[in-house]
Amino acid sequence: MESPENTTIEESTTTNNKSRSKCLDKYSVLIYVSHFLSSFGDRVWAFAVSIYLYYLYPGSLLLTAIYGLSTCLSLFIFLTPVGRMIDKSKRLKAARLTILIQNASVVIGAIMMAAAIYYKQDIMPIWNGGLQIVIYAVSIGIAIIAELASMANKIVLEKDWIVILADGNEKKLANLNATMRTINLCCKVIAPLVVGQIIGTFNLVVGAIFMASWNVVSAVAEYYLLYVIFSHIPGLSAQKQESFVPSSENVPLVQISTPEDSPDLNQLKKMESQLKSDVPPPPESMHTPSRHDNAESLTADKGLSMNNNHTSLTPRDGFEEISLVTPVSNKHANPKETPNIVQETRKKPDDKKHKAKDGLLCKSCAGWKHYFSHPVKFAGLALASLYMTVLSFDGVTIGYLSSQGVSAGMVGNLSAAAAAIGVLGSLSFPFFRRKLGKNTTGILGFGIETFCLVLCVASIFAPGSPFDPKSILNPFDTSGRNISYTADQLSLKEIWQTRSNIFLLMAGIATARYGLWVLPHSSFI
């Protein structure tokens, strides 16, 4: 029979766990709201920046293409150093920095591009068009910074904060990840609808004002919510655990202590004589190699001599007095006062080598080397090859549709529809997996995506396409590859009558998202 004391302890423990779970659920909602504000602003900017870049240089997809290529290269080069910086920074500081850079970049970029479009006629004569080129470069640079800050913010929240909120509960961590992903997908559907209708109904200036206002409010709200979470979850204020890989270069064999901490040589000699008189030596027949003998052979190369019965530190010529076991007291824990054996014994050429190893290129090479030693390297390459076949409503596609007379509102609706179809594919994956199995479901998703992309190939030869099939026979003839530019926005009926290729292209891109979102789930599991 249980005692009343044990029952009381169990009840109090259960009550504490319930209250702790409610507390964590409360702060989980706060991080969901913060993630929604951030994701919605990201999706709005990702959709609108391509439209602004196109209207900065109408009639050409040059700026949107440069932006897409520069963004991919920047993420490839700088994302790893950004991740290392986040690991070394405190959690609240990293979150504050990423929120500030991300939202400030969007505000500055939106206002600058809208002003450049509005005052385009006044800007063109300045510096013989040089100022306009500077605006192009700065706009793309700011957009890239915003994208990097957005990725850094996702790393802070999705890879670190929610792990602390889960508190070691795998089920709760899975729920947090699933909810964050759902919020991201919902924002991918809603954001193009909202900003597309604003730009299509009003103009680019109003759209820029909306984006700037949203990001200013969002920055304040995001930081406040994260600060509340940080203040009430003790685990977030704990120091991050850094991964440490021991090697022969960073593991000190001995520690040089300061003269004040080192034992006096005369005292050691007195202790040596006492030990000799009190402890009889063991018989030679009983002597076996011990850890002490091994230590003698190891320390001989370091300028130390060790006796069989006790440790005797006798300095040799050219060596300082060294203590193997003398601890360094707290009052001398200052690194300026306590030299490090690694720093003292390491030579200058070695320092240069270690600095070279910390370079950006070496870190990238080390990351690739680690990747190719991982068991899932081929699965990752297969998934990357899959995404080389993907068409989406990215910068080039949005710019091309704008050049063909498709309004921003219609492009936003199509982008939202494609995202919704992708969500439907993600939701239908568990059903197909139960009925067909994981591998068959993956093949089904790949087949659906390939079949839908055939519509995009057919759009090249459909009426209204700027492509001339005869140019394939003559590769030097570029007359059939020029994109016709339409300044006026066409209605849906006019697009159907004059540019049916647009319908095939948009239908292929949108429906292919279904198979695309089914296939990655098969690869991840």
Side-chain angles (χ1 to χ4, degrees), residues 402-514:
S402 300
S403 69
Q404 300 301 301
V406 182
S407 65
M410 191 179 298
V411 175
N413 295 338
L414 292 169
S415 180
I421 292 174
V423 174
L424 182 62
S426 180
L427 295 176
S428 63
F429 171 77
F431 171 78
F432 286 114
R433 186 191 177 193
R434 288 195 302 269
K435 298 295 183 180
L436 304 176
K438 181 184 67 174
N439 296 333
T440 307
T441 302
I443 295 173
L444 176 65
F446 183 74
I448 293 174
E449 188 216 0
T450 305
F451 176 78
C452 294
L453 290 178
V454 172
L455 297 176
C456 300
V457 178
S459 68
I460 299 176
F461 306 97
S465 173
F467 178 73
D468 185 6
K470 296 180 181 180
S471 62
I472 299 177
L473 302 176
N474 186 6
F476 298 100
D477 182 13
T478 59
S479 59
R481 304 173 191 172
N482 296 327
I483 298 177
S484 58
Y485 165 62
T486 303
D488 298 330
Q489 294 182 353
L490 304 177
S491 64
L492 189 63
K493 183 179 179 181
E494 291 173 336
I495 295 175
W496 174 256
Q497 292 176 350
T498 60
R499 300 182 183 276
S500 57
N501 65 306
I502 298 296
F503 274 93
L504 289 175
L505 177 64
M506 293 186 297
I509 293 175
T511 54
R513 311 301 291 181
Y514 184 89

Side-chain angles (χ1 to χ4, degrees), residues 154 229 288 321 341 350 451 466:
K154 289 179 181 178
I229 298 172
T288 57
E321 296 183 9
I341 185 64
D350 293 338
F451 176 78

Side-chain angles (χ1 to χ4, degrees), residues 93-130:
K93 181 181 178 181
R96 179 174 61 243
L97 189 62
T98 55
I99 290 172
L100 177 62
I101 295 176
Q102 174 193 359
N103 291 277
S105 300
V106 173
V107 171
I108 296 172
I111 293 175
M112 186 178 67
M113 285 191 285
I117 295 171
Y118 189 78
Y119 296 103
K120 185 176 182 180
Q121 300 300 326
D122 299 330
I123 294 174
M124 287 182 65
I126 299 177
W127 300 346
N128 294 326

Side-chain angles (χ1 to χ4, degrees), residues 388-410:
M388 291 181 67
T389 67
V390 172
L391 294 177
S392 62
F393 287 94
D394 55 3
V396 176
T397 305
I398 293 172
Y400 173 72
L401 294 177
S402 300
S403 69
Q404 300 301 301
V406 182
S407 65
M410 191 179 298

